[in-house]
């Protein structure tokens, strides 16, 4: 029957306006039917049980028990290492167990254990003071460029360590204290900060390592430095060049573990280069283990360079160290540059005039 000649129940033909109303009613009914279908999908996604029945209808309890038992096959669980599992991603559970049972608790023990040991060492042994009076004669140890690079990398390292630990442990500390609303905002901001500052830290770390590689090449006297505990065993000073054995060890830890942390961080930061789910999971484990280890070791470096050793921080803040400090801590380096000492007045005059404070005008380290 032609809709244009359709008639009403009384025999009279429908008007054009009546037909329009019928079409509208049919479209509304169709929209309602479609919306009910979408609603069912949404409800199924919100409810795991409904989701299961929607995604895999007809699966019996016995079949799910077979899946959980580890049986492999096209309908159950794939035994391959790749992330193309049919029903259960076993590697995801393995990653979760490693992260929650091993990485998180032992990482926390490492960081806070190191902090406790340093505090104990400080209260028992105390600060390493200079044995002889200062002479007032200064030696340039760090140029402005290297100090700026060091402090930038150090600041980024601290921010990344704090944000990383917040991502790993924050929900156990800040969420109970501030509630879900504040915690949601905090963790979102922390994640963005960590993800965006990480690549910048990685690039600057490589530049810093390249600029310091000459001073950190291992030498025979570095082994003696370790055997004598940096001078704590025995009464004689141990030989050290521009960098002592401990500083070189920290450098090479950064050059190995640090680069590994940076590389794994790039894998996690840019998940759009066809890396599989398994690759991302292992990158996360490597990143967490390396970062927590670096954080623990860095506490010792920070302590020795600030509170633990008289005169050490001055070198990285002003660029200069007193020659007494140089003799006691880096005697081999002192012998190389002792003819380049400047008085405090000369250093102040050079800085105020904007000229080079390096008497040799050639040394950059």
């Amino acid at each position: 029957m032609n809709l244009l000649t359709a008639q009403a129940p009384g025999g009279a033909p429908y008007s054009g306006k009546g037909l329009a109303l019928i079409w509208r009613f049919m479209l509304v009914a169709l929209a309602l039917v479609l919306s009910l279908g979408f609603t069912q999908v949404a409800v199924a996604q919100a409810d795991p049980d409904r989701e299961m029945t929607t995604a895999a209808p007809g699966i019996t309890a016995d079949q799910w028990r077979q899946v959980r038992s580890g049986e492999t096959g096209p309908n159950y669980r794939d035994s391959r290492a790749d992330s193309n599992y049919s029903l259960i991603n076993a590697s995801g559970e393995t990653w979760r167990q490693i992260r929650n049972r091993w990485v998180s608790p032992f990482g926390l023990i490492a960081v806070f254990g190191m902090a406790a040991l340093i505090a104990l060492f400080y209260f028992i042994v105390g600060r390493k003071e200079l044995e002889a009076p200062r002479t007032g004669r200064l030696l340039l140890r760090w140029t402005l460029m290297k100090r700026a690079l060091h402090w930038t990398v150090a600041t980024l390292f601290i921010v990344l360590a704090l944000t990383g630990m917040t991502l790993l442990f924050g929900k156990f500390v800040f969420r109970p204290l501030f509630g879900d609303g504040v915690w949601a905002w905090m963790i979102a901001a922390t994640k963005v900060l960590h993800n965006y500052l990480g690549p910048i830290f990685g690039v600057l770390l490589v530049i810093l390592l390249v600029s310091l590689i000459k001073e950190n090449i291992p030498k025979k006297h570095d082994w003696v430095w370790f055997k004598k505990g940096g001078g704590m065993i025995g009464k004689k000073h141990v030989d050290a060049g521009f960098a002592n054995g401990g500083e070189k060890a920290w450098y090479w830890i950064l050059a190995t573990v640090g680069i590994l942390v940076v590389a794994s961080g790039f894998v996690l930061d840019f998940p759009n280069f066809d890396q599989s789910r398994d690759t991302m999971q292992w990158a996360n484990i490597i990143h967490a283990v390396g970062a927590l280890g670096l954080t623990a070791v860095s506490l010792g470096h920070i302590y020795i360079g600030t509170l633990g050793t008289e005169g050490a921080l001055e070198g990285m803040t002003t660029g200069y160290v007193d020659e007494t400090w140089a003799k006691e801590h880096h005697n081999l380096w002192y012998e190389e540059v002792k003819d380049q000492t400047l008085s405090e007045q000369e250093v102040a005059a050079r800085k105020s005039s904007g000229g080079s404070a390096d008497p040799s005008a050639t040394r950059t380290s």
Side-chain angles (χ1 to χ4, degrees):
M1 180 175 58
N2 194 330
L3 286 177
L4 293 177
T5 61
Q7 293 182 338
Y14 282 114
S15 65
K17 185 175 181 181
L19 287 174
L21 289 174
I22 293 174
W23 278 109
R24 289 178 186 176
F25 175 81
M26 293 174 64
L27 289 174
V28 170
L30 179 62
L32 288 173
V33 172
L34 291 175
S35 66
L36 287 174
F38 286 121
T39 301
Q40 293 301 313
V41 174
V43 171
Q45 290 177 339
D47 185 346
D49 294 331
R50 295 288 296 277
E51 182 180 8
M52 182 193 74
T53 58
T54 303
I59 298 294
T60 66
D62 289 336
Q63 287 174 313
W64 279 117
R65 277 191 286 272
Q66 287 177 303
V67 171
R68 284 187 173 275
S69 69
E71 181 177 341
T72 61
N75 297 320
Y76 302 121
R77 183 169 62 180
D78 199 317
S79 61
R80 290 172 291 180
D82 297 335
S83 298
N84 48 3
Y85 302 101
S86 299
L87 293 176
I88 289 183
N89 181 358
S91 71
E93 178 63 15
T94 301
W95 166 79
R96 190 182 72 85
Q97 294 292 343
I98 294 174
R99 182 179 184 271
N100 292 349
R101 292 189 178 184
W102 298 97
V103 176
S104 296
F106 283 99
L108 199 63
I109 292 172
V111 173
F112 283 93
M114 178 65 77
L117 286 175
I118 291 172
L120 186 65
F121 180 87
Y122 177 75
F123 286 114
I124 294 177
V125 178
R127 189 186 192 196
K128 173 64 176 175
E129 306 285 351
L130 292 175
E131 297 176 5
R134 298 183 182 226
T135 66
R137 304 288 299 177
L138 304 177
L139 286 165
L140 178 67
R141 183 163 174 82
W142 300 107
T143 62
L144 177 61
M145 182 63 70
K146 288 192 176 178
R147 297 200 312 272
L149 185 58
H150 170 272
W151 285 116
T152 303
V153 172
T155 302
L156 288 173
F157 181 92
I158 293 172
V159 172
L160 289 171
L162 292 176
T163 53
M165 292 188 70
T166 300
L167 292 171
L168 197 57
F169 306 112
K171 63 182 177 182
F172 304 110
V173 179
F174 300 113
R175 190 177 182 182
L177 285 177
F178 304 119
D180 289 342
V182 174
W183 167 243
W185 171 86
M186 180 184 294
I187 197 64
T190 298
K191 185 176 183 296
V192 170
L193 196 64
H194 194 86
N195 289 349
Y196 278 90
L197 292 182
I200 299 174
F201 168 79
V203 173
L204 293 180
L205 176 63
V206 171
I207 295 174
L208 179 65
L209 291 172
V210 171
S211 69
L212 295 175
I213 190 171
K214 180 181 177 181
E215 292 83 1
N216 287 278
I217 296 175
K219 301 290 179 64
K220 289 183 179 180
H221 56 256
D222 295 324
W223 175 243
V224 179
W225 189 94
F226 282 110
K227 288 196 297 183
K228 294 188 176 182
M232 296 181 63
I233 301 174
K235 296 183 178 180
K236 293 182 63 177
H237 290 291
V238 288
D239 291 336
F242 181 85
N244 60 37
E247 291 167 334
K248 290 181 180 181
W250 171 237
Y251 172 90
W252 288 108
I253 289 173
L254 282 176
T256 52
V257 180
I259 295 300
L260 191 62
V261 170
V262 169
S264 58
F266 271 94
V267 173
L268 295 171
D269 240 353
F270 302 99
N272 51 345
F273 291 102
D274 295 330
Q275 58 263 50
S276 67
R277 184 187 304 162
D278 299 273
T279 300
M280 296 286 284
Q281 289 166 353
W282 282 112
N284 179 270
I285 295 298
I286 293 170
H287 190 77
V289 172
L292 288 167
L294 281 179
T295 301
V297 177
S298 72
L299 296 178
H301 174 75
I302 294 170
Y303 167 76
I304 294 172
T306 55
L307 187 62
T309 308
E310 180 186 357
L313 185 60
E314 296 171 14
M316 194 50 73
T317 53
T318 68
Y320 290 87
V321 294
D322 191 271
E323 65 176 347
T324 298
W325 184 91
K327 288 178 185 177
E328 295 186 8
H329 295 283
H330 300 273
N331 62 312
L332 299 180
W333 171 69
Y334 170 74
E335 292 297 327
E336 296 176 5
V337 298
K338 62 182 179 182
D339 58 336
Q340 301 174 14
T341 57
L342 294 171
S343 67
E344 294 178 354
Q345 292 78 12
E346 288 176 310
V347 172
R350 287 173 180 268
K351 287 184 177 181
S352 62
S353 64
S356 173
D358 185 351
S360 68
T362 57
R363 183 174 180 82
T364 59
S365 57

